[in-house]
Amino acid sequence: MNFQFHDYQPVFEDLHTSVVKGLQQSPKQLHPKFFYDEEGSQIFDQICEQPEYYVPTVEHSICETYAADMIACLGDDCHIIEPGAGSSKKVRFLLNRMQPAMYVPMDISAEHLRASAQKLANDYPRLPIHAVCVDHTKPYKLPAEIPANKRVFFYPGSSLGNFDPDDAIRFLHDIREKAGADGSLLIGIDTKKSVDVLNSAYNDAAGVTAAFNLNLLKRIQNELDSEVDVDGFHHHAFYNERQGRIEMHLYSNKEQTLRVSGSTFRLREGESIHTENSYKYTVDEFKALAWEAGWQSERVWQDERKYFSVHFLRS
Ligand code: AVI
């Protein structure tokens, strides 16, 4: 089997330190990377099935419609590198239609990465796979086995939207350096659109996004020596037009005190804990951001309603 696993043994940031630091800030905040424990990852998969959360379906339909064009841009014998690959589902629209020289899924979760890379190796037995277990938001070097030429980074799902713009530029710059002189990037970016559509996408009627957000408090309650009344909070997300981003918050239903390992944090009724930003970019705004990081825009594909964009950029 053509499958190698490179374990960089990424250090998981400590939940306790991050929670205490975040709750000491004003306004209070919790880091969104802690959404994705086993439970949170399952809830996220359910978010992707909610009718209001258009991101995965629209991106998928753009990729299916324009797959031939995208493949022509990628070129033959390319090495596809996917940071935060998770279950490597999205790359299949490419693998079903072309034969890249190598696929490099990267993820922080060793177990998840090993299982999904193994499944991929079974489904595509002729595809050389180098799975890299790493935190791609921290400095790292790609394994020497990955040829330095024809590197194509693949970053779907508008994951870049969860970075603040300065961090987004830093990340794009880092992958540009890694992509090299003939490298490229295929990336999915959510666009600005009607505020109603955006607000509904992050406040779905079935309450799945609410459960995803509240799961952060459950983690604190279950994993840390703490007293947290999860029912004392409710989820709300809204589009902040000035910042061009969806903000997710947990609002306190009452005046209350959270206790986390000996520290106490007082909350007023209605006070929020800010848990996530999801930036939205017009096509031109994203091109400008990518340009700052050293990328040249070559192609952009969109759906008819222009709800989402898939960009192809070159070094
Ligand atoms: C993973 N990321 C791109 C999602 C987003 O749309 O920002 C996370 C999410 N949060 C709530 N719903 C989806």
Side-chain angles (χ1 to χ4, degrees), residues 1 92 95-96 116-127 129:
M1 182 153 332
R92 284 176 183 252
L95 304 181
N96 290 341
S116 31
Q118 188 68 63
K119 185 162 188 321
L120 214 67
N122 293 338
D123 294 349
Y124 303 92
R126 291 192 305 150
L127 174 68
I129 299 175

Side-chain angles (χ1 to χ4, degrees), residues 169 172-173 176 288-297 313-315:
I169 292 173
L172 289 173
H173 186 263
R176 209 217 64 83
L289 189 91
W291 185 83
E292 276 199 58
W295 290 103
Q296 312 275 343
S297 167
L313 306 121
R314 280 199 196 276
S315 282

Side-chain angles (χ1 to χ4, degrees), residues 24 38 43 80 83 107 120 124-125 134 137 168 179 199 213 246 277:
Q24 279 167 346
E38 188 71 38
I43 306 176
I80 301 177
D107 208 275
L120 214 67
Y124 303 92
V134 65
T137 64
N199 285 341
N213 204 2
I246 282 280
N277 291 321

Side-chain angles (χ1 to χ4, degrees), residues 32 35-36 44 47-48 53-56 90 156-163 188 190 201-204 208-210 212-213 235 237 246 248 276-280 308:
F35 279 136
Y36 300 94
F44 182 67
I47 290 179
C48 292
Y53 190 64
Y54 55 84
V55 169
K90 291 184 177 149
S158 204
S159 298
L160 193 81
N162 297 127
F163 290 91
D190 197 10
Y202 292 82
N203 294 283
D204 60 277
V208 181
T209 309
F212 179 68
N213 204 2
H235 155 87
I246 282 280
M248 292 222 303
E276 188 183 54
N277 291 321
S278 188
Y279 284 84
K280 311 300 169 192
F308 200 83

Side-chain angles (χ1 to χ4, degrees), residues 61-309:
S61 83
I62 297 172
C63 290
E64 287 290 322
T65 308
Y66 299 107
D69 270 12
M70 292 181 191
I71 286 164
C73 288
L74 264 52
D76 295 330
D77 304 325
C78 63
H79 309 106
I80 301 177
I81 306 172
E82 184 175 358
S87 45
S88 288
K89 279 192 189 142
K90 291 184 177 149
V91 74
R92 284 176 183 252
F93 89 96
L94 293 172
L95 304 181
N96 290 341
R97 294 173 164 98
M98 70 185 291
Q99 179 91 52
M102 185 180 283
Y103 173 57
V104 183
M106 305 199 289
D107 208 275
I108 191 167
S109 159
E111 255 170 69
H112 196 187
L113 178 65
R114 198 182 288 278
S116 31
Q118 188 68 63
K119 185 162 188 321
L120 214 67
N122 293 338
D123 294 349
Y124 303 92
R126 291 192 305 150
L127 174 68
I129 299 175
H130 283 262
V132 186
C133 182
V134 65
D135 179 351
H136 69 266
T137 64
K138 303 266 162 65
Y140 66 96
K141 280 202 172 107
L142 287 168
E145 288 88 339
I146 299 162
N149 66 329
K150 295 187 179 180
R151 289 181 172 176
V152 179
F153 275 83
F154 179 52
Y155 203 53
S158 204
S159 298
L160 193 81
N162 297 127
F163 290 91
D164 286 340
D166 284 350
D167 289 336
I169 292 173
R170 267 192 285 278
F171 171 72
L172 289 173
H173 186 263
D174 177 59
I175 58 174
R176 209 217 64 83
E177 299 243 290
K178 290 183 165 71
D182 69 347
S184 56
L185 167 64
L186 185 65
I187 184 167
I189 298 290
D190 197 10
T191 56
K192 291 192 161 122
K193 59 185 68 65
S194 124
V195 174
D196 286 347
V197 173
L198 285 168
N199 285 341
S200 313
Y202 292 82
N203 294 283
D204 60 277
V208 181
T209 309
F212 179 68
N213 204 2
L214 287 160
N215 183 53
L216 267 181
L217 295 178
K218 283 197 187 152
R219 283 198 67 181
I220 298 172
Q221 170 78 331
N222 296 339
E223 294 174 37
L224 304 178
D225 172 24
S226 62
E227 271 172 52
V228 178
D229 175 12
V230 178
D231 295 333
F233 289 86
H234 68 272
H235 155 87
H236 182 61
F238 60 89
Y239 185 61
N240 178 333
E241 207 141 6
R242 200 170 53 84
Q243 304 269 16
R245 69 191 191 198
I246 282 280
E247 292 186 10
M248 292 222 303
H249 292 262
L250 290 163
Y251 289 93
S252 178
N253 297 334
K254 56 188 181 190
E255 192 178 316
Q256 57 179 316
T257 302
L258 303 185
R259 282 175 237 288
V260 184
S261 317
S263 307
T264 55
F265 304 97
R266 296 184 67 75
L267 282 112
R268 287 171 275 109
E269 181 179 345
E271 187 175 345
S272 95
I273 305 176
H274 187 174
T275 54
E276 188 183 54
N277 291 321
S278 188
Y279 284 84
K280 311 300 169 192
Y281 295 100
T282 65
V283 163
D284 286 343
E285 281 170 349
F286 177 71
K287 283 184 186 173
L289 189 91
W291 185 83
E292 276 199 58
W295 290 103
Q296 312 275 343
S297 167
E298 191 167 300
R299 290 290 301 272
V300 187
W301 300 274
Q302 289 200 270
D303 54 299
E304 264 175 28
R305 292 179 302 184
K306 307 212 180 304
Y307 272 17
F308 200 83
S309 58

